Amino acid sequence: MDEALLRTLTPAVIGVLVRRGADFASAEDAVQDALVEALRVWPDDQPRDPRGWLVTVAWRKFLDAARAETSRRHREVRVESEPAPGAGEAVDDTLQLYFRCAHPSLTPASAVALTLRAVGGLTTRQIARAYLVPEATMAQRISRAKRTVSGVRFDRPGDVATVLRVLYLVFNEGYSGDVDLAGEAIRLTRQLAARTHHEEVAGLLALMLLHHARRPARTGPDGRLVPLAEQDRGLWDTRLIAEGVDVLQAALARDRLGEFQAQAAVAALHADARSAEETDWVQIVEWYDELVRLTDNPVARLNRAVAVGEADGARAGLAALAELDPALPRYTAVAAYLHERDGDPVTAARLYGEAARSATSLPERDHLTREAARLNAKLRG
Amino acid sequence: MAKYLLLKHYRGAPTAVNDVPMNQWEPEEVVAHVQYMRDFATRLEGTGEFVDSQALSEKGTFVRYDGEGRPPVTDGPFAETKDLIAGWMVIDVETYERALELAAELSAAPGAGGKPIHEWLELRPFLGASPTVTE
């Protein structure tokens, strides 16, 4: 039973139903019903044309539901308008579905849930587990989201930037439960990249591939965070790195720079260094300059300060940091790091302890606590 | 989305405005209070913000390791000054502001005289398990 195939087909099938006149929420429900049916029937009787099979069954489910809910007249109009069976659709509806699921009228959390369900084909249960909330809660989030976008008309292309933000949110959730959300985000972004030639879609795909390639080295066997400089580069996935670099180069060649391409370029420079010492920090600073120019994002400025510290020394890094708002997330952790490199372990230890108290994730807090403890032990000894 | 714990204290929190022990309320006031809490949870299920809610018994015991093969030392019932947690609710919301708003609403549950208790709730963010991508 090929569950991956089912998930891949989901968006196209929803798209067909919506184009045939089904409203989005009912189409999505009908396709979920068809998927359940497929899981039951296919192991014994795999259809020759899986997509055609799903379209037929989902359409029938939709009609059944419509029959139950609406008047007889209404139903007959729909049956009348049913196109000839078969899956010979020329238009690609999947793109529309991405835009709809990431519609600006939705909150980020709802957009993520809806995208995973409608474009990704995940079940409500899987999504709920990944986000560690009860299934009933997630079911409500999804059905509210569906209702919100149900009436949305799609006569002009949606906003690619919004779609990319949603996919990046999914990627950053990492993984828990039985679905690897990072892997899922890559799959969906690949699908999107195959359908549109937007440079930033390629940029985001490259960024995800390059980050994902380092995942095996990012945490130790005990779950502790391993900083980039200490990672075992032998654990990096060279195949993913090569692919990420290829995708990025093709995007950069089109000369329309965006923030995801710039971020991917930084990631590529890290991936390219055989050891931490060989990292090309000067070029990384240049890319952060581009990123700051493009987004004026304070987090980009903070990362730039770290890069400056590596390229021009801790003093220069601290000077760059001094221009930023100390309330920024991770500001204190960066300050601690730069002070230690500047030869001031007392200040560094105090700042690491402070940073640990305001950390927002468990691995990060533990890492910062260990750094503080390491310096304090050295100061005592 | 971020998860927050709303902690309800029996003792240890600052005193509520409408501070009358529950066993001295009118029976219908107790019913109204319970109904308010239940409605609140149901509504959060509807908005997709509910995660969990539990009430704890007042009987708690302190336990500690006290050497190999020796019984743990217990300390209870609690002295009046000790903090005691009555229960919690876990919510999963878009923003910190939303968490504050919901906590305030929960604190307005009706108490004696049908008036809001104005009790203090402790609001604590969860530490997530997933490491962020930025290195």
Side-chain angles (χ1 to χ4, degrees):
Chain A
M1 183 66 247
D2 193 351
E3 226 178 291
L5 172 68
L6 280 183
R7 281 207 228 156
T8 311
L9 292 173
T10 300
V13 178
I14 297 177
V16 171
L17 261 63
V18 169
R19 194 149 39 78
R20 283 185 184 178
D23 65 282
F24 177 71
S26 316
E28 211 276 333
D29 285 340
V31 173
Q32 288 288 331
D33 286 346
L35 291 177
V36 171
E37 182 99 358
L39 286 168
R40 197 171 60 79
V41 174
W42 287 16
D44 301 323
D45 184 17
Q46 169 99 28
R48 271 190 306 125
D49 175 9
R51 185 170 176 273
W53 188 97
L54 279 175
V55 168
T56 308
V57 172
W59 184 250
R60 207 184 304 135
K61 299 272 184 201
F62 165 70
L63 289 178
D64 284 348
R67 218 165 261 142
E69 281 166 20
T70 63
S71 71
R72 180 189 167 82
R73 189 183 53 78
H74 216 130
R75 171 184 100 226
E76 280 172 353
V77 170
R78 274 185 171 131
V79 176
E80 200 62 36
S81 66
E82 178 176 5
E89 316 283 350
V91 198
D92 182 6
D93 306 287
T94 304
L95 212 49
Q96 289 264 333
L97 212 55
Y98 273 91
F99 291 133
R100 191 183 287 262
C101 292
H103 196 267
S105 63
L106 295 170
T107 62
S110 299
V112 162
L114 195 58
T115 301
L116 286 172
R117 167 85 183 246
V119 190
L122 298 185
T123 63
T124 304
R125 185 191 182 82
Q126 286 172 315
I127 304 169
R129 278 199 188 165
Y131 282 91
L132 303 173
V133 298
E135 198 175 336
T137 296
M138 190 51 82
Q140 281 297 338
R141 264 184 219 173
I142 291 172
S143 63
R144 286 167 77 94
K146 280 197 283 190
R147 256 178 281 137
T148 305
V149 296
S150 247
V152 173
R153 294 296 311 164
F154 272 86
D155 30 23
R156 56 201 168 86
D159 180 14
V160 178
T162 314
V163 176
L164 296 184
R165 204 156 33 244
V166 167
L167 291 172
Y168 200 36
L169 276 178
V170 174
F171 182 77
N172 279 325
E173 275 304 320
Y175 62 107
S176 52
D178 55 353
V179 193
D180 176 353
L181 287 182
E184 186 61 22
I186 289 177
R187 189 178 73 80
L188 296 181
T189 309
R190 268 189 211 283
Q191 228 175 58
L192 185 63
R195 285 177 166 79
T196 157
H197 294 290
H198 197 283
E199 322 63 50
E200 278 290 89
V201 176
L204 177 63
L205 179 59
L207 178 64
M208 287 179 177
L209 291 170
L210 289 162
H211 277 323
H212 204 56
R214 295 205 295 260
R215 192 165 91 175
R218 195 177 295 132
T219 45
D222 49 0
R224 69 158 70 175
L225 212 64
V226 183
L228 183 56
E230 290 160 32
Q231 285 173 18
D232 175 359
R233 291 174 189 234
L235 293 176
W236 290 1
D237 186 331
T238 47
R239 194 183 51 82
L240 282 185
I241 290 175
E243 190 193 347
V245 169
D246 281 350
V247 171
L248 174 64
Q249 276 170 347
L252 289 176
R254 302 177 53 201
D255 211 19
R256 291 176 59 171
L257 191 62
E259 58 173 309
F260 285 121
Q261 293 171 81
Q263 280 195 63
V266 172
L269 284 166
H270 283 303
D272 200 36
R274 267 172 305 171
S275 68
E277 294 73 37
E278 283 177 50
T279 308
D280 187 345
W281 287 106
V282 174
Q283 248 203 92
I284 289 178
V285 172
E286 285 168 10
W287 278 112
Y288 275 125
D289 286 341
E290 288 285 0
L291 201 54
V292 167
R293 187 179 58 78
L294 284 166
T295 67
D296 200 30
N297 181 327
V299 176
R301 287 181 185 276
L302 189 67
N303 289 337
R304 184 182 167 280
V306 177
V308 167
E310 301 291 346
D312 305 328
R315 269 302 148 77
L318 284 168
L321 192 64
E323 295 165 16
L324 306 179
D325 180 1
L328 274 173
R330 296 210 180 84
Y331 178 97
T332 313
V334 169
Y337 176 76
L338 289 170
H339 276 291
E340 185 185 357
R341 290 188 47 107
D342 192 38
D344 182 358
V346 177
T347 307
R350 179 178 56 76
L351 290 174
Y352 272 128
E354 224 173 85
R357 277 191 293 282
S358 57
T360 54
S361 95
L362 211 48
E364 198 177 315
R365 188 191 68 185
D366 293 350
H367 171 73
L368 294 167
T369 307
R370 274 196 307 274
E371 295 292 279
R374 175 178 60 79
L375 284 180
N376 283 326
K378 212 154 65 178
L379 289 168
R380 276 195 308 271
Chain B
M1 298 287 273
K3 293 194 180 67
Y4 289 89
L5 175 66
L6 298 176
L7 269 183
K8 220 174 157 60
H9 296 257
Y10 282 121
R11 290 194 289 274
T15 313
V17 172
N18 185 8
D19 188 32
V20 181
M22 213 165 171
N23 56 23
Q24 286 165 36
W25 299 1
E26 297 299 323
E28 58 272 22
E29 288 167 1
V30 176
V31 172
H33 177 81
V34 172
Q35 191 59 45
Y36 183 94
M37 308 295 275
R38 200 173 290 156
D39 291 347
F40 183 75
T42 307
R43 196 156 46 73
L44 290 196
E45 267 176 43
T47 57
E49 293 170 309
F50 180 82
V51 179
D52 184 33
S53 161
Q54 298 286 338
L56 294 175
S57 156
E58 207 164 335
K59 290 190 199 314
T61 307
F62 275 123
V63 182
R64 77 166 192 207
Y65 175 69
D66 211 33
E68 202 64 56
R70 294 169 66 182
V73 175
T74 66
D75 167 25
F78 288 86
E80 202 57 50
T81 53
K82 275 182 190 146
D83 182 21
L84 197 57
I85 292 161
W88 68 70
M89 181 177 281
V90 180
I91 54 176
D92 189 4
V93 292
E94 293 279 356
T95 59
Y96 175 65
E97 285 66 34
R98 175 66 177 158
L100 287 180
E101 183 185 318
L102 291 178
E105 198 178 321
L106 193 60
S107 157
K115 295 198 180 72
I117 304 174
H118 297 274
E119 69 180 326
W120 289 93
L121 294 171
E122 191 182 351
L123 178 68
R124 299 280 297 271
F126 274 52
L127 280 176
S130 58
T132 43
V133 168
T134 341
E135 266 152 329

